[in-house]
Amino acid sequence: MAGLHDKFGRAITDLRISVTDRCNYKCVYCRTGNEGALYGDLPFADYLRMARVLVGMGITKIRLTGGEPLLRNGIVGFVRELAKLRPQGLKPPSSAGANGTAEGAAFHATPSLEIALTTNGHLLADMAQRLKDAGLDRVTVSMDAVDPDRSARITRVPNGFDHVLAGIRAAREVGLGPVKVNCVLMRGFNEDQIIPFGMFAREENVIVRFIEFMPLEEGRTWAPSTVVTLDEILARMSEYLPVMEIEHGRSETARRYRFEDGIGEFGIIAPVSHPFCGHCSRIRITSDGKIRTCLFSVWDHDLHAQMRRGAGDEELAEFIRGVVMKKEERHHIGEADFVPASRTMVHIGG
Ligand code: SF4
């Protein structure tokens, strides 16, 4: 099988790179403790080499995450270097027979490369145009309330809301879209924001995605009762306007819905009530250069250590293939044998 596959036959095409575990926000569903930045980050050249090897192995989508990735000086330059991994001028094979040749392999090895970024949006307004010019395709902005006071209560950053809204609008204006806005719902904090976000999606022409709260926060305070489930979200939104489900890609994390009048789209990422591990296509590289094969892994695999000891690209590829064969089948949230992940979200990068 061409490309990178795990032992369950899942194609691994989606790489998430955390470029820092520092963050300028302190969201209640993530940074409930006082861990702060623990692992630090690497020179962009190291992430670039990792990405180059992985793109050669079949990765077609790279998402930059953190902590907060826009805190890293040089992030625009890093996007520009990643964009050079795209098949510049690489033409499809001249004839079907060429598929078995180096030309064909080279083309199929990197059919396309999408570069996206997830941010809390606080610094985005000033950087959107430069990121776009550097080759970024899309951004996803985390925002958990469409009310400034509520937003401040959740992020524990006063006056952040206006920055985030300006960032979303700037991203939309420069063409980093469709802009997606991720909202983690947490009972007791923002379950009353479902309909306001439906209105927001329609007014701002962005795709809002509600995310079920997962047990990945610092203080380990998660409980099933804090989860606002997909069924609840749909029932609530349907009280506002009729909605209909629309098709979504097999490895997409979100189920997609549109308002029946055709104005506005939203999604629901429901890892707790409707797990989607069966088609998981993701692996992650942490800010300190470790591979995580699942958000809920209890292991890290030290790719950067291989680089430090002088491994060549083929050795790195071999190491990665071995690690991917250890990828977990699924998470065990809410089950008796559930073991918390060895890292919390801010140190993984979503
Ligand atoms: S929990 Fe793990 S296996 Fe499941 S979708 Fe997320 S990363 Fe993939």
Side-chain angles (χ1 to χ4, degrees), residues 132-239:
K132 175 68 180 174
D133 296 345
L136 190 69
D137 294 305
R138 289 191 299 108
V139 290
T140 298
V141 179
S142 306
M143 186 166 97
D144 307 298
V146 285
D147 166 85
D149 297 336
R150 182 73 58 81
S151 171
R153 185 174 156 225
I154 294 171
T155 62
R156 296 184 284 191
V157 171
N159 312 320
F161 181 80
D162 292 342
H163 291 271
V164 177
L165 189 56
I168 289 169
R169 289 173 175 166
R172 193 189 56 211
E173 296 317 310
V174 304
L176 285 171
V179 174
K180 294 183 176 169
V181 174
N182 279 1
C183 165
V184 176
L185 287 173
M186 216 175 144
R187 200 177 306 286
F189 275 89
N190 59 348
E191 69 269 35
D192 64 343
Q193 296 289 300
I194 294 169
I195 292 179
F197 264 116
M199 297 173 176
F200 185 82
R202 293 160 64 89
E203 288 154 12
E204 297 288 335
N205 189 22
V206 296
I207 299 174
V208 169
R209 300 184 317 164
F210 301 102
I211 304 179
E212 291 181 345
F213 179 35
M214 289 179 276
L216 286 165
E217 75 301 351
E218 280 177 358
R220 308 291 185 188
T221 53
W222 184 91
S225 59
T226 57
V227 178
V228 181
T229 66
L230 176 143
D231 294 340
E232 284 179 81
I233 299 166
L234 268 184
R236 190 90 183 89
M237 193 66 92
S238 303
E239 289 168 16

Side-chain angles (χ1 to χ4, degrees), residues 267-327:
I268 304 175
I269 300 174
V272 180
S273 68
H274 294 74
F276 37 80
C277 304
H279 298 293
C280 182
S281 59
R282 290 167 292 282
I283 59 170
R284 294 167 172 85
I285 290 177
T286 61
S287 62
D288 56 331
K290 311 268 178 28
I291 299 178
R292 289 184 67 82
T293 47
C294 169
L295 260 182
F296 292 93
S297 285
V298 294
W299 312 102
D300 288 341
H301 307 273
D302 200 339
L303 181 60
H304 196 244
Q306 302 298 318
M307 290 167 67
R308 290 197 304 273
R309 73 165 182 77
D313 286 359
E314 193 35 53
E315 287 175 278
L316 294 182
E318 204 45 45
F319 177 80
I320 293 166
R321 269 189 283 275
V323 166
V324 166
M325 289 311 277
K326 297 176 186 149
K327 180 174 169 68

